[in-house]
Structure formats: C-alpha cells, structure tokens
Amino acid sequence: MADFGDPNPFGDNENEQHAIIDAPPVDEASEAPATPAKPASPPTQQRQPFRGYPGLSPKTGFCCARDEYLHSDGAEILIADALKMTDHTGKIYIAYVIRTGNSDARRRYSEFESLRSGLVKLYPTLIIPPIPSKQSLGDYAIKQSRAKEDATMISRRKRMLQAFLNRIARHPILSNEHTFHRFLDGEVSWSEVLHSPPMSLAPKNVLRAPPHNPTDANPHPGYAALPSPSTSVSLRHPDQRFMDSEAFTDKFASHLSGTMEKVTRRTMKRWSDYSQDNAELGAILNGFSLSETGQLAVAVERTGQAVDTTYVSTTQLLQDLEQSWAEPLHEYSQFAEIIKKLLVFRHQKHAQYEMTKNALENKREVMDEFERSEAEAQRLQNALSG
C-alpha cells in the first residue's frame, strides 16, 4: 500500500492552508454523529435566523426567498423523486425533483452538469463539489435504450446529486450565488439562465480574466495581454509547498482511482454474483420441494428458505457497501481530480506571472538601451554644436 505518512502536505500554518485553496465545509451527513440525532423540529416552530459561518459575519441581506431559506438553520435540500418524462422531440429522460423548503423544481442530469460547469467558470479558484459520473459506454452497450432507466443508477444519482446541492448550499461563498438559487426555482427556465448574466459573461479563457471575478464587465486591459502558458510549462522558481501538494494529490488520486476502486468493483461484482446464485438456487430448491413429499419435502423447503434469506441479506449487504463505501470512495477520487485541476490552474497562473515578469524585464532592458543611445546622441549633438 502506498505510504501517506504526511497527512497534511499543504503546510503547517493554519492560515496558510486557508490561503492556498477555498474548500467547501465538510458534509456533516458523511460523518458519524457523536450523539444520537435530534428529532425533527415540529412544523409550527419558526425557523431560526442563520448564525453564520465561523469567522464570517451572519448574512442579513438576501436576494431571494431561497437565499434566505439556505441561510437559515436546519436548511436542507432533498431530491424527493425521480420522474420519467418526455421532451419535445419524444425522447425519454429522467427529471429529478428538487425540494427546497416548500417549493419543488425538476431538473435533468444534463442541467446539473451545466450548473457545475458554470460554477467552475464563475469560481475558478474554488473547489466545486462533484456530481455523479455519466453512464459508461459499457453500460449503454449492455442495457442499450434502458440504460437511463436503471433503478440502481437512478437511486445512486439521487443520493449523490442531493449531496452535491447541499455541499453548495453549505458553502460560505457558493451559497450566495444567485444562479444557484435560480436552479432551485421550478418556475425559472434553466435555458434562460444559461444565456443570461452572469453565465453568459463567463470568459472563454479564464487565464485572461480576473481569477476572483471572471465576469467583471470592466477588467483591467492588462488581462487581455497576458500569455496563456501550457499546463506542462516549467517554472523557474517553483513554490515547494505546491510541489509537495501536487505530488501528494497525484499519489492520492492514483491510489484511489487505481488500486482501491478496482478492488472495490471486483468485490462488489463477486458479492453480486453470489447474491444472484443464491436467488437462482433458492428458486430451484423451492420448486424441488413441491415435487417431493414427507420429511424430504420439508427439509428441501427449509433449505430453500435459508438460501432465500441469504439472498436477501447479501442484497442488503451490497446496498450498504454501495452507499457507505463505494460511493464515498468514488467521491474522494472525484475530489482528488478536482484539486489536481485547481493545482494545474495555479501552476499556469504562476507560469503566467513569470512569463509576464520576464517580458517586462526584457522591455525594460530595451528601454534602458534606447535611453542610453538617446543620451549618447544628445551628447554628440552638444559636442558638435559647441
């Protein structure tokens, strides 16, 4: 197993860690509670005002009703249902019902994709939570037209899309984005949102836009003149902290997506085959018991019942492994890839800084040479005229 002896490659100083990257708050639902969960508040109880995040002042001004709801204590977004629907071309798709307080919105998977890609463009320096991966080509080849209607896949997406929305809702910056609030509004056309500000103002090349405000209507003219370095360009003066971070993240990502996910898939496959074998064996034994009489029939029937019980227990085990192990592991792998992309972006910005600095130094040397030539010409002119 790979050695991950250094649990914190991003630095020792707590303030430096926060300065390196803005990470979303930990999803409380993914942690084991230290005390038993409290019962839900009665419907008549008024919602308490949001007390704010540690280190940040509580928010008082809200842009809409959903913004106010998301910044209240106990706010929770639910994927209440998944409905089979048909678009204007007759193509079937699955719409996920998003419940925010007392309001519902229906969004398809592709709209979740566009929301996340839009947030990545609007906030290129933040960790944007992942969404469940697309169906693989193998899934489409095996299930063909029914791949999108697979109940297991839909249940997995419901859980992971709900986690995605709640991570954004709990983020101290992303939760304030009005585009996200409009995504939760069932009366808003998502197509119109994508073609209106700020989504329509997202730059094509984020390297030539202000990183903390890419949609700035009046950016400094210098941004348009910045170079666009490749991801493989070498740095003259690399920062050792980020070099350590990149090495650790690459190692962590390859370990998750390589060894651990492969072993998990293989284990799930074997338990699934074992469950299917028990289902078939139980059906055969139960049918065989009907053709026998006396004690043999009773013994065969009880054996079939025991095999059926094993099948049910194995199926439950598979569900628990999927929800408690395979899905979180896959999310860790996705987060690792997201952090790798952010580190690549930081690498490019560092290279951009060095290239710009080098270009300015070259221009300054040329200007100094012109000034010396001009001074020499002036001296000769004064000598000739004198």
Side-chain angles (χ1 to χ4, degrees):
M1 181 174 290
D3 180 18
F4 295 103
D6 180 10
N8 178 20
F10 298 97
D12 297 327
N13 184 281
E14 183 179 356
N15 295 328
E16 288 182 357
Q17 295 175 35
H18 288 290
I20 291 172
I21 204 162
D22 294 302
V26 177
D27 186 359
E28 296 176 357
S30 64
E31 296 184 346
T35 57
K38 296 182 179 179
S41 302
T44 57
Q45 182 178 355
Q46 290 186 349
R47 187 172 297 281
Q48 298 297 320
F50 185 65
R51 291 189 293 270
Y53 296 93
L56 296 177
S57 301
K59 186 173 181 178
T60 55
F62 305 102
C63 64
C64 61
R66 281 159 190 80
D67 187 23
E68 184 175 5
Y69 173 80
L70 293 177
H71 287 85
S72 61
D73 285 346
E76 186 78 13
I77 302 175
L78 301 175
I79 302 292
D81 202 355
L83 306 176
K84 185 189 299 185
M85 304 187 70
T86 306
D87 60 16
H88 64 281
T89 63
K91 187 177 181 180
I92 296 176
Y93 67 92
I94 301 299
Y96 298 92
V97 180
I98 306 170
R99 182 159 298 161
T100 310
N102 296 323
S103 63
D104 290 351
R106 296 179 180 180
R107 304 295 183 194
R108 57 195 300 178
Y109 176 80
S110 59
E111 292 174 326
F112 281 90
E113 274 190 311
S114 59
L115 169 64
R116 189 185 181 280
S117 62
L119 291 176
V120 169
K121 293 178 182 177
L122 295 178
Y123 300 94
T125 62
L126 298 184
I127 295 178
I128 308 300
I131 62 174
S133 303
K134 287 184 176 180
Q135 288 275 64
S136 66
L137 293 177
D139 293 332
Y140 278 106
I142 295 173
K143 301 173 184 177
Q144 297 181 359
S145 61
R146 302 189 61 84
K148 292 185 178 181
E149 303 174 29
D150 179 38
T152 303
M153 182 271 293
I154 293 174
S155 298
R156 184 188 309 116
R157 281 189 173 179
K158 284 177 59 179
R159 292 190 297 269
M160 299 181 74
L161 290 175
Q162 179 173 304
F164 164 72
L165 294 176
N166 281 292
R167 282 176 176 137
I168 296 178
R170 293 167 184 157
H171 195 283
I173 298 176
L174 298 177
S175 60
N176 298 316
E177 175 55 54
H178 189 52
T179 300
F180 174 58
H181 306 154
R182 299 180 73 186
F183 183 82
L184 303 176
D185 189 347
E187 298 180 0
V188 173
S189 169
W190 184 242
S191 178
E192 293 181 3
V193 175
L194 293 177
H195 294 88
S196 60
M199 299 290 272
S200 61
L201 299 177
K204 294 181 179 180
N205 187 353
V206 72
L207 290 173
R208 290 182 174 175
H212 295 290
N213 187 15
T215 59
D216 187 358
N218 298 303
H220 192 282
Y223 282 106
L226 290 175
S228 296
S230 67
T231 58
S232 59
V233 65
S234 300
L235 299 177
R236 294 185 177 182
H237 305 287
D239 190 325
Q240 187 62 43
R241 295 178 305 160
F242 289 104
M243 292 179 64
D244 294 342
S245 299
E246 291 169 3
F248 178 87
T249 305
D250 288 342
K251 190 176 182 180
F252 184 73
S254 63
H255 186 67
L256 284 179
S257 60
T259 307
M260 295 188 70
E261 283 203 311
K262 287 180 180 178
V263 171
T264 298
R265 285 195 298 268
R266 191 182 308 127
T267 302
M268 298 284 290
K269 177 67 167 57
R270 289 178 178 176
W271 277 110
S272 178
D273 292 343
Y274 177 69
S275 175
Q276 186 62 32
D277 291 343
N278 278 288
E280 295 176 0
L281 178 59
I284 292 173
L285 290 174
N286 291 329
F288 180 53
S289 67
L290 299 176
S291 63
E292 298 295 333
T293 59
Q295 294 184 351
L296 179 59
V298 174
V300 172
E301 182 181 6
R302 290 179 178 177
T303 304
Q305 292 174 350
V307 173
D308 288 341
T309 302
T310 303
Y311 161 71
V312 173
S313 300
T314 306
T315 302
Q316 183 61 46
L317 173 63
L318 276 170
Q319 294 176 356
D320 293 342
L321 283 174
E322 176 76 17
Q323 298 180 29
S324 303
W325 173 252
E327 288 178 12
L329 181 66
H330 182 61
E331 285 186 328
Y332 271 114
S333 178
Q334 288 180 302
F335 270 113
E337 293 299 326
I338 292 170
I339 294 174
K340 284 174 63 176
K341 291 181 180 179
L342 283 178
L343 289 171
V344 168
F345 176 71
R346 194 221 67 88
H347 180 94
Q348 289 179 290
K349 295 299 290 184
H350 191 161
Q352 193 178 59
Y353 165 76
E354 290 188 344
M355 294 170 68
T356 304
K357 183 180 179 181
N358 184 60
L360 289 175
E361 290 175 351
N362 292 337
K363 295 291 186 182
R364 187 176 291 110
E365 291 178 0
V366 173
M367 186 175 65
D368 291 342
E369 182 65 26
F370 285 155
E371 288 178 349
R372 287 193 295 269
S373 299
E374 184 178 2
E376 181 65 20
Q378 186 65 34
R379 186 185 67 81
L380 291 175
Q381 184 178 2
N382 293 337
L384 292 175
S385 61

